[in-house]
Amino acid sequence: MAGQATAQRGKHGFAMPRVPKILIYIVGFVPAVVLFYLGVNDQLGADPMRYLEQSLGLWALRFLIATLAITPLRQILNINLLRYRRAIGLLCFYYAALHLLTYVVLDQGFDFEAIWTDIVKRPYITIGMATFIVLTPLAVTSNNAAIRRLGGQVWARIHRLVYIAAIGAALHFLLVVKSWPPEPMVYAAIVASLLGYRFVRSLVKRSMPKRRAA
Amino acid sequence: MLIRRPIDIPASEITPREVYLNRRQLMAGAAGFALAASGLPGKALAAPLTFEKSPLSATDEKLTSLEDVTHYNNYYEFGVDKTAPAAHAHTLKTSPWTVKVDGLVAKPGEFAIDDLVKTSTLEERIYRMRCVEGWSMVIPWIGFPLADLIKRVEPQGSAKYVAFETVYRPPEMVGQQSAFPVLDWPYVEGLRLDEAMHPLAILAVGLYGEALPNQNGAPIRLVVPWKYGFKGIKSITRISFVEKQPETSWSRQAPDEYGFYANVNPNVDHPRWSQKTERRIGEGGLFVKRRPTLPFNGYADQVAQLYSGMDLRKFY
């Protein structure tokens, strides 16, 4: 309940107002609801299907970036949003699924022959589809039962697939546009820096094996 | 704001229904046209142009609404979003304007746009426009055959190609200011001389009965309806007659994706997407149905002979 939100100081610093996770889902679905509402009412511009399709994909990428930002935020700025990561990750998956559904139903009109040709022949669609497939096991195992069943280490290893998904999503966006416009490059740069941060940190950690646990 | 809202008014409500539903009535005469035009959204357009209807408007298809024609544009000099040209193109000064014609011609010169319009017989040409991205429109252009201008300047025998150039004015064109340009400015295009002489190829100075809005390439642009839209170079400042095939902006940017010819061809895919089908803008809203793309955008009967014996997979 929003009314019960309290400020908490966790093990990792900073007082963050604690909001119920359901609120993350409610706020997270606002863009989808607004887009569908505007779309049905013919207010998405001249090419509403394309606008809806692209916006849903972009939101999936934004939520993906948000999940990747949680660890650096904690490590660098001492802001702990870990308890919302699952909700944000699942929102990424839901938006990716809506994006794919829009492509299959509204864009291609269930023309599975055309869709198959796209998957086989068009690298950006091959990559997009692969990215969705990579995201699926992450979504399926995003619950406490799965963590218990798989054990924390196996679960964590599976969830490292998110790095592959992030690269796939950024590439998918870069490849769909003509020339090199700024927007997909900015998203690719954000993904690259979030992954690069982890890479550099792992190198540093490896070179200092005796580093005291925080 | 979480979502960028492209426009507030449903696209379908802006052009009066009867205007785009009943083309016959629209075609009934200039009076009807003026009446229709007066109901269109207020814009700083010039007075209505005087023009004749052309028998080469070989389509009975529903016109794309003026709102969509003027608010869904690719004109990268004003930004890469489809809505950017309508938002930013007002900064371009289109008057005075001259078109320099030079190269292998007997009578080179600088043509003021007003003189060009005054000395040409303007026609309305309703053409399909197929974008290389897989969408299409039906647009009532106002213009004159490119061949009329070519005949006036008398090309020499050695002239084999016509090269076109868009204006380069970074202060007035926000997309030309970027440190990381999307394309090498100025935008350049070209046609083979026989393509340029074809009666379907026009220089457009207006649409929907009035002067071209800036975002559509004011004051003068090329329209070649059997080719992908990017061949239709906008805001032309220079036309040169040359011996060798000129460079064109998109094929310079990605030669394996965009060729010199760029004829609409459902059988030759763009390397990254299919060209078999297209979405007609303004048709069906969210539930738009794809329609098959036609060879040469449906103008094969008129233009296919220009390419007889050519391998269209090689010369894409």
Side-chain angles (χ1 to χ4, degrees):
Chain A
M1 287 266 147
Q4 291 167 353
T6 52
Q8 272 202 358
R9 187 176 290 271
K11 194 166 76 166
H12 290 284
F14 256 58
M16 294 298 298
R18 229 173 126 95
V19 298
K21 284 173 203 155
I22 184 76
L23 206 64
I24 304 287
Y25 289 105
I26 291 171
V27 173
F29 273 116
V30 166
V33 171
V34 171
L35 281 167
F36 279 111
Y37 174 81
L38 293 178
V40 168
N41 288 289
D42 193 15
Q43 296 194 2
L44 289 182
D47 200 357
M49 188 284 298
R50 185 62 92 219
Y51 191 85
L52 175 72
E53 189 177 47
Q54 291 177 346
S55 303
L56 290 170
L58 197 51
W59 278 105
L61 179 55
R62 286 170 183 159
F63 284 117
L64 187 55
I65 285 171
T67 64
L68 289 179
I70 283 172
T71 293
L73 274 180
R74 186 164 50 89
Q75 291 168 344
I76 300 171
L77 297 176
N78 219 13
I79 297 173
N80 190 350
L81 298 173
L82 208 55
R83 76 184 231 103
Y84 309 113
R85 187 163 66 183
R86 180 185 292 169
I88 297 170
L90 282 169
L91 279 167
C92 161
F93 178 75
Y94 296 143
Y95 273 89
L98 288 172
H99 172 62
L100 175 60
L101 204 65
T102 306
Y103 165 74
V104 171
V105 179
L106 297 179
D107 190 344
Q108 297 296 334
F110 294 108
D111 183 346
F112 287 106
E113 201 188 314
I115 291 168
W116 181 247
T117 312
D118 265 358
I119 294 173
V120 179
K121 279 181 77 174
R122 324 276 168 221
Y124 82 92
I125 293 190
T126 318
I127 291 170
M129 210 55 100
T131 303
F132 184 75
I133 290 168
V134 166
L135 284 174
T136 305
L138 306 194
V140 170
T141 57
S142 281
N143 51 72
N144 294 339
I147 299 176
R148 273 196 305 274
R149 206 171 53 242
L150 294 165
Q153 265 193 330
V154 175
W155 185 89
R157 204 169 297 156
I158 292 174
H159 278 249
R160 260 176 235 147
L161 283 173
V162 73
Y163 305 141
I164 306 286
I167 294 168
L171 264 180
H172 175 63
F173 192 11
L174 275 175
L175 285 176
V176 70
V177 294
K178 293 192 301 184
S179 185
W180 300 96
E183 201 182 9
M185 296 221 279
V186 168
Y187 279 95
I190 294 171
V191 167
S193 45
L194 287 169
L195 299 186
Y197 164 79
R198 287 169 167 81
F199 181 67
V200 170
R201 197 180 145 90
S202 75
L203 287 186
V204 171
K205 270 180 105 171
R206 203 170 302 167
S207 68
M208 296 189 294
K210 297 251 161 180
R211 188 165 171 266
R212 212 163 60 85
Chain B
M1 194 71 203
L2 291 165
I3 311 262
R4 283 174 297 175
R5 281 180 63 166
I7 52 166
D8 290 308
I9 312 162
S12 55
E13 282 181 15
I14 288 169
T15 301
R17 225 174 123 71
E18 59 275 16
V19 171
Y20 62 79
L21 284 188
N22 196 340
R23 201 169 72 78
R24 255 181 224 148
Q25 198 182 341
L26 181 72
M27 303 296 283
F33 206 97
L35 198 69
S38 68
L40 299 168
K43 270 216 200 67
L45 298 182
L49 299 165
T50 312
F51 57 88
E52 298 169 358
K53 294 179 193 318
S54 167
L56 292 170
S57 294
T59 173
D60 280 328
E61 290 165 75
K62 193 175 95 179
L63 299 184
T64 304
S65 74
L66 176 63
E67 172 69 18
D68 286 350
V69 170
T70 55
H71 289 79
Y72 192 78
N73 307 102
N74 277 326
Y75 195 167
Y76 283 11
E77 284 86 338
F78 297 111
V80 293
D81 283 343
K82 298 281 188 293
T83 49
H88 303 304
H90 62 91
T91 52
L92 178 66
K93 285 195 208 80
T94 57
S95 181
W97 191 277
T98 54
V99 181
K100 183 180 181 183
V101 182
D102 61 5
L104 306 169
V105 287
K107 296 178 173 171
E110 302 233 359
F111 295 82
I113 185 72
D114 298 332
D115 296 339
L116 266 179
V117 170
K118 250 181 260 162
T119 55
S120 304
T121 308
L122 296 185
E123 301 171 30
E124 182 187 61
R125 298 282 186 99
I126 298 170
Y127 282 157
R128 288 176 291 274
M129 205 281 295
R130 168 63 155 82
C131 178
V132 74
E133 295 167 351
W135 50 269
S136 62
M137 293 184 176
V138 179
I139 304 173
W141 300 106
I142 311 292
F144 56 90
L146 174 56
D148 287 1
L149 178 64
I150 295 177
K151 284 174 204 154
R152 275 162 76 171
V153 298
E154 297 175 15
Q156 299 165 9
S158 52
K160 296 281 183 279
Y161 293 90
V162 189
F164 302 84
E165 199 175 301
T166 294
V167 70
Y168 178 67
R169 280 187 207 160
E172 297 175 26
M173 303 175 105
V174 69
Q176 290 181 340
Q177 295 166 10
S178 168
F180 304 98
V182 183
L183 291 167
D184 262 347
W185 311 120
Y187 195 88
V188 288
E189 258 305 337
L191 294 172
R192 227 168 48 193
L193 186 60
D194 59 337
E195 296 178 314
M197 290 294 291
H198 193 280
L200 283 179
I202 60 166
L203 288 170
V205 295
L207 57 81
Y208 266 107
E210 301 196 30
L212 276 180
N214 279 9
Q215 61 266 37
N216 295 88
I220 186 164
R221 64 165 292 166
L222 181 66
V223 177
V224 196
W226 70 92
K227 293 175 180 284
Y228 292 118
F230 69 85
K231 293 294 287 185
I233 185 169
K234 303 182 178 87
S235 307
I236 299 169
T237 51
R238 188 176 172 198
I239 301 175
S240 302
F241 291 77
V242 294
E243 194 174 346
K244 296 221 166 66
Q245 181 176 304
E247 282 205 316
T248 60
S249 284
W250 276 105
S251 79
R252 194 157 61 188
Q253 211 277 334
D256 54 330
E257 300 189 358
Y258 311 98
F260 174 79
Y261 286 94
N263 293 316
V264 175
N265 190 343
N267 302 316
V268 177
D269 288 343
H270 183 281
R272 289 184 286 138
W273 55 79
S274 165
Q275 296 291 26
K276 284 195 175 60
T277 58
E278 66 201 51
R279 286 169 294 113
R280 181 63 54 82
I281 297 299
E283 208 179 67
L286 265 192
F287 307 99
V288 58
K289 269 220 169 73
R290 285 175 178 274
R291 51 168 74 212
T293 288
L294 302 172
F296 299 103
N297 202 20
Y299 300 97
D301 286 350
Q302 293 100 309
V303 303
Q305 90 282 350
L306 290 172
Y307 311 99
S308 56
M310 279 175 69
D311 180 357
L312 296 177
R313 287 185 179 279
K314 201 171 152 210
F315 298 99
Y316 53 89

